[in-house]
Amino acid sequence: MEVVRIVLGVVLLVVTAALAVQLWKGRWLFLIAKPDKTKKGTFYPEGTHKSGQCVSWVMVACFAVIATLIAYQMGILSGSDLFAQAATILSNIALVAYCVVLVWAVFSSQKGKEGSFRERFDGGSYRVLILLLGTCVLLTVVGLLFV
């Protein structure tokens, strides 16, 4: 069962890393905003790329939490109490950092600024919120699985 946990953790690491990189580069913006289709092509609202970069920082923090939970599991498997304790401390620090970055990503957009989260929520697009809540659910499930 422990090996399955580690393999699942590595798969989640790859997924969060891919999300972070692709959102930072602006390739998977469809995950956070509904594209506008016109005769000239598909466009995203202004500020979507900046929002994608904010969400990518959340994915980096999520990556750190998952990585430290895997390190904790490896410390348990190896029988090294010192390594497991160090991983626990780093995991707690990463979890606090995740919470701070999550709050920053949601509230970083200034009121009245073009492309802010508030404008997108008023327009009925909840993709960013669903993605961020999905990371919260993912970390809760992973935390229960690894502890």
Side-chain angles (χ1 to χ4, degrees):
M1 182 65 179
E2 288 80 13
V3 175
V4 173
R5 289 179 187 168
I6 292 176
V7 169
L8 178 64
V10 169
V11 168
L12 290 173
L13 281 178
V14 170
V15 169
T16 54
L19 276 169
V21 169
Q22 297 303 330
L23 284 171
W24 183 265
K25 290 183 178 182
R27 293 188 183 142
W28 290 355
L29 293 178
F30 63 90
L31 293 172
I32 62 169
K34 185 177 179 183
D36 297 327
K37 297 189 186 228
T38 64
K39 291 180 181 180
K40 294 183 180 179
T42 303
F43 300 99
Y44 292 97
E46 283 190 43
T48 304
H49 185 70
K50 178 76 171 157
S51 298
Q53 290 178 343
C54 287
V55 173
S56 74
W57 281 111
V58 173
M59 292 299 142
V60 168
C62 185
F63 180 91
V65 172
I66 294 171
T68 54
L69 287 173
I70 291 173
Y72 171 75
Q73 188 67 34
M74 291 173 68
I76 298 267
L77 282 176
S78 68
S80 174
D81 292 334
L82 182 62
F83 188 73
Q85 288 175 350
T88 302
I89 292 169
L90 289 175
S91 179
N92 291 336
I93 292 170
L95 188 59
V96 169
Y98 168 78
C99 292
V100 168
V101 171
L102 183 67
V103 169
W104 168 76
V106 171
F107 294 111
S108 68
S109 300
Q110 312 255 322
K111 188 174 182 180
K113 198 175 189 182
E114 185 96 20
S116 68
F117 285 144
R118 183 176 299 276
E119 285 181 6
R120 255 185 239 116
F121 293 154
D122 291 342
S125 177
Y126 292 99
R127 292 182 183 196
V128 173
L129 185 61
I130 290 170
L131 182 65
L132 294 177
L133 286 175
T135 62
C136 293
V137 170
L138 173 75
L139 286 183
T140 302
V141 170
V142 169
L144 292 173
L145 181 67
F146 279 93
V147 176

